[in-house]
Amino acid sequence: MYYAHTAESGEWQPIKDHLINTAEKARRFAIPPLKEVAYLAGLLHDIGKYSKEFQNRLLPGGESLKVDHSTYGAQLVYNDNKSAARFAFALAYVIAGHHSGLPDIGNKGENEDESALRARLKKTCPNAEAWRGEIAIDYAAAKDEFAALLSEENFGRDEYEFAVRYLYSCLTDADSLDAEEFCKGRERISVSADWDRYYGILEKKIATLEKKTELQKMRSVLQQQAISNIDRDGGVYLLDMPTGSGKTLCSIALAMKRAAMKNKKRIIYVIPYTSIVEQTAALFKETFPDLPVLEHHSEFDYDDVRTVFGGWNALLDENSDQSVRDIVKERTENWDAPLIVTTNVQFFESIYSNRKSKLRKIHNMADSVIVFDEIHTLPARYFVPCIKAIGQLTSHYSCDAIFLTATMPDFELLTERFTGKKLGALDLLPDKSGYKIFDKNTFEYIGAQDPVSHMDGEKSTLVICNAKKSAEQMYRACSAPVKFCLSTYLTPHDRSRIIADIRDSLKNGNKPVVFSTSLIEAGVDLDFECVYRELTGIDGILQAAGRCNRNGRQSKEDGKVYIFVGAGRVGKEVKAKAEIALSEIKRYGADSIASGECVREYFAEWYDFSKFNMKGTESLYDRTKREEGKKLYEIDFKRIAEDFKLIETAQMPVVIPNEEISDILAMDEISGSSLKKLRRYSASVSTYEFKKLYEAGVLCEKDGIFILADESLYDSDTGLNAAEESKEIFY
């Protein structure tokens, strides 16, 4: 008998059982065009465990033995199917990388990376021929299925690459779940949602919203227009609702109605900013208390059981010692949940990763409704691969996508320009005549005038700067009796406290002046009488305007948004956006920048990448040069993953000591949930600033965590700042 795993109980799992279980799970996970291929991947993935070397590894004392059991199956499928190379390589990638990650193809020479697929296909593996006595391999059904997929119209490199990732996801999740079930002695229960019922709950909630003012009435009209149009089949839906028109509730209503109509497995709500993920997830949990909502982002703390778990309690088994924390942590691994709220980073970096830990969830993206909030915020350098990924999901994996933003680019034009394919998007709000009711601001360009000297001091005022140092300097120069400063120099804990103080100050009529970076532009529901925005892209200016006269308490003429030119240093991308915005302001006039024509022209200019010399753009905008002359199956999965980092500007966390975390900092070893808690008390600095702090000797290190040793450098009102005694630390 040959074995695959040993459980803690001492029980042994036969390889044959594991291979068949994994194959059946993978087939169940896969969409119809790939079911037999997924089954075959499951049947072959661990066939190398039939070697004596691997069997010895399972014996007591054999844990330290290193045995490559993945390469054998890849070689087997490759050698048996050389005449069907695209089929053979697809399975070889998936099987060879099911532990270590999808590899690069490698070159045909002898001096290549040993981890590359071609090198591994030449490798001498331990003899595992004993499989022939237990497993029957039949390639026919899988080859026919894959050949049919390849013959589909417009099936090209992007389709092939995504299909390999998808197969890898089906295999690795099936493999992990079968091993988990055997070793832990329990099977995970899949969770589904009655989308009709949840849509009904939401429909009642929307119906009870106040409709007294003209703005409230028009908000309802727009929501109903969008909801009526979601009945039409579009694949991609555009929802460009004005700021203040109730986009969040409307979008989840659309997603739930669509999910109910098409019997979708799940809804995935993708958001650019972590802070908005937390707020949105909290809203959904409050609205649907018995619906398991999975919140997945870098700051989520699995130990916080007070507010976040809601509907997950129903999965607790009286006969198991598993906690809700364990359930949620497990579901995060593969996104086995009906409603997922996550970030752009988690979503797109999972798709373009080559690692099992991220790719494992891709198969659960299929057959979903995916809402992309603030879709216009996708970084320009990654616009093309992100749009291509969405196109794959909507065209081939039974997904519907809803693009949500108040400043909508012409996605039809851009998609066709960069992918050569039509997006086929459907506008959910073709009648935009009611938008004028949400036009609550006037815009004025004031050039290089200093906002501090320009403001009259009689209105609550928000000043948004492009750089953290600029916001801090203006804050210090301002003599207003009530003032606040917001930036990532502050810890998230202090930012939350300050935002609460700002809200109270506004409520009490104190006329505060707030100096902030762009972090306040999205997801922070504050209403100022006057806003100053440093010159940036049109989308950023309009986002800032959403904080001015937000609730329509003033006339449009009094709701002033001033656009100024700051003196601080900014990155190349912000500078390029600002240049385009300034040309649009000169062409249309500052007070017309919110017009649809101006917004479309701005985005058309911004996405004309040939005008910008951004470092490294070629590898992501257009890989054709790199891939020229390569066959369909010659893909560098590892290199693509290394190239794709959605957050490009590296920020280093610096822990700010205080009583709340003193017990954690005193631990012998800091790990797990303790690290999550430390993020709430960490300020973010650039790598340059971090280097200067480190060289100045004001940081101490513990378990790879850097802690501020000189507490005088942190001000709970302004954050980690350039105080007089540390000027040389900062630029």
Side-chain angles (χ1 to χ4, degrees), residues 46-106:
D46 270 356
I47 211 161
K49 288 185 176 181
Y50 278 98
S51 71
K52 289 180 181 178
E53 288 83 350
F54 185 84
Q55 295 303 302
N56 289 335
R57 185 180 182 277
L58 294 178
L59 296 173
E63 297 86 355
S64 61
L65 295 175
K66 290 186 177 181
V67 181
D68 176 2
H69 67 273
S70 303
T71 300
Y72 181 90
Q75 290 181 349
L76 182 66
V77 72
Y78 173 72
N79 290 327
D80 286 351
N81 296 278
K82 287 183 178 179
S83 62
R86 291 178 291 183
F87 167 77
F89 271 101
L91 279 169
Y93 278 119
V94 168
I95 295 166
H98 79 269
H99 282 298
S100 56
L102 286 170
D104 289 345
I105 182 65

Side-chain angles (χ1 to χ4, degrees), residues 123-134:
K123 182 179 178 180
T124 301
C125 293
N127 186 308
E129 289 294 297
W131 70 267
R132 297 185 187 277
E134 293 194 350

Side-chain angles (χ1 to χ4, degrees), residues 21 87 101 115 181-182 236 272 318 328 331 358 434 655 702:
N21 292 345
F87 167 77
S115 68
E181 287 166 15
F182 174 75
V236 175
E318 293 180 5
V328 174
R331 303 306 166 120
K358 289 184 177 290
V655 176
K702 181 178 183 179

Side-chain angles (χ1 to χ4, degrees), residues 363-380:
H363 77 89
N364 276 330
M365 293 179 184
D367 203 18
S368 299
V369 179
I370 311 173
V371 180
F372 295 95
D373 190 20
E374 306 292 356
I375 185 69
H376 68 280
T377 61
L378 288 175

